[in-house]
Amino acid sequence: MHVDILAVGAHPDDIELSCGATIARMVQLGHSAAIADLTQGELGTRGTKEIRSREAEEAAGILGVKTRRNLKIADGNIEVSQTNLHKVIALIRELRPSMMIIPHSFDRHPDHTHAHRLCREAWFYSGLSKISTKHEETDQEPHRPDVWFEFMQWHEFTPSFIIDVTDSWETKMKAVRAHSSQFFDPHSKEPETRLSKPDFLELVDVRGRAYGRRIGKKFGEPFLSPVPIGVADMFSLTFTRG
């Protein structure tokens, strides 16, 4: 299988909340995408890993991705170990994406920060032929995606670019709501978290509008690039005029 974009998150709802509209927009434009969740979110305060797995599959169908994988790395223990590196490397070599979207290098949740380092190192090592991995008992060929970009979670950074996701915002929010165990439910007896507060999804909407406003659009999702980005036509740029 080959995909254009591989988005990797630490937990089953991270991609939807952070860059789900971008994934949906890329699919709308004809690009293929895959999502990988590093953990099952088993340490989460609300829901169970079984519930979260079902929610993740429903959300993947809403976003239109070709496949969604869970690497079953221990939640709360995303180590940059040889075992975990080989899991991510094998996935990269199987899906052979041109681009990866990964967590920002710093965040409130340690799992997000550790996920960044694991993904960044796997991105590099996936291109080394002397690192051996297998898929279904077959030796894999090395493959390094052309580039990776960082998506925003709790910590806000100055973006390198902002994707106009106005046309895919409702798809994102539908996928986010598929993770219903994590959000406000007046009938739930589980402890409250930041995500389950009544106004949390409203805050997601406000952030999308704020970054959209920066480029003169209704909704936007911000990304950080480790490398300069070229532009072929200055008149194709999107920005707030005046």
Side-chain angles (χ1 to χ4, degrees), residues 103-124:
H104 182 47
S105 58
F106 175 79
D107 201 59
R108 168 181 174 269
H109 197 317
D111 278 357
H112 300 166
T113 302
H114 298 161
H116 168 88
R117 185 182 168 199
L118 179 62
C119 291
R120 189 185 69 206
E121 293 196 17
W123 168 83
F124 181 83

Side-chain angles (χ1 to χ4, degrees), residues 150-161:
E150 302 173 32
F151 56 76
M152 184 181 292
Q153 294 185 265
W154 289 102
H155 176 74
E156 293 201 38
F157 51 75
T158 300
S160 302
F161 60 92

Side-chain angles (χ1 to χ4, degrees), residues 63-98:
L63 294 176
V65 300
K66 289 183 72 172
T67 186
R68 184 172 200 152
R69 307 293 179 81
N70 195 296
L71 300 189
K72 297 183 179 179
I73 294 170
D75 195 8
N77 192 28
I78 302 178
E79 294 181 320
V80 184
S81 64
Q82 288 300 302
T83 298
N84 291 344
L85 277 170
H86 278 226
K87 284 184 176 183
V88 183
I89 290 169
L91 182 65
I92 292 171
R93 289 175 172 178
E94 177 197 349
L95 300 181
R96 308 186 78 77
S98 301

Side-chain angles (χ1 to χ4, degrees), residues 17 25 41 50 71 75-76 86 88 99 119 142 154 171 182 204 220 226:
L17 287 168
R25 181 58 180 154
E50 292 80 14
L71 300 189
D75 195 8
H86 278 226
V88 183
M99 177 189 302
C119 291
W154 289 102
T171 302
Q182 302 305 298
V204 174

Side-chain angles (χ1 to χ4, degrees), residues 95-188:
L95 300 181
R96 308 186 78 77
S98 301
M99 177 189 302
M100 288 180 65
I101 304 175
I102 68 175
H104 182 47
S105 58
F106 175 79
D107 201 59
R108 168 181 174 269
H109 197 317
D111 278 357
H112 300 166
T113 302
H114 298 161
H116 168 88
R117 185 182 168 199
L118 179 62
C119 291
R120 189 185 69 206
E121 293 196 17
W123 168 83
F124 181 83
Y125 289 130
S126 65
L128 300 185
S129 60
K130 291 185 179 179
I131 293 180
S132 176
T133 56
K134 292 180 180 291
H135 175 63
E136 296 179 346
E137 304 304 318
T138 302
D139 290 334
Q140 293 181 302
E141 294 294 322
H143 173 78
R144 182 181 297 140
D146 296 330
V147 69
W148 48 265
F149 298 124
E150 302 173 32
F151 56 76
M152 184 181 292
Q153 294 185 265
W154 289 102
H155 176 74
E156 293 201 38
F157 51 75
T158 300
S160 302
F161 60 92
I162 298 170
I163 301 292
D164 173 13
V165 292
T166 304
D167 292 340
S168 58
W169 190 258
E170 288 306 315
T171 302
K172 168 201 173 85
M173 294 308 297
K174 185 177 179 182
V176 166
R177 292 187 186 96
H179 296 273
S180 58
S181 68
Q182 302 305 298
F183 304 118
F184 178 68
D185 177 357
H187 305 294
S188 175

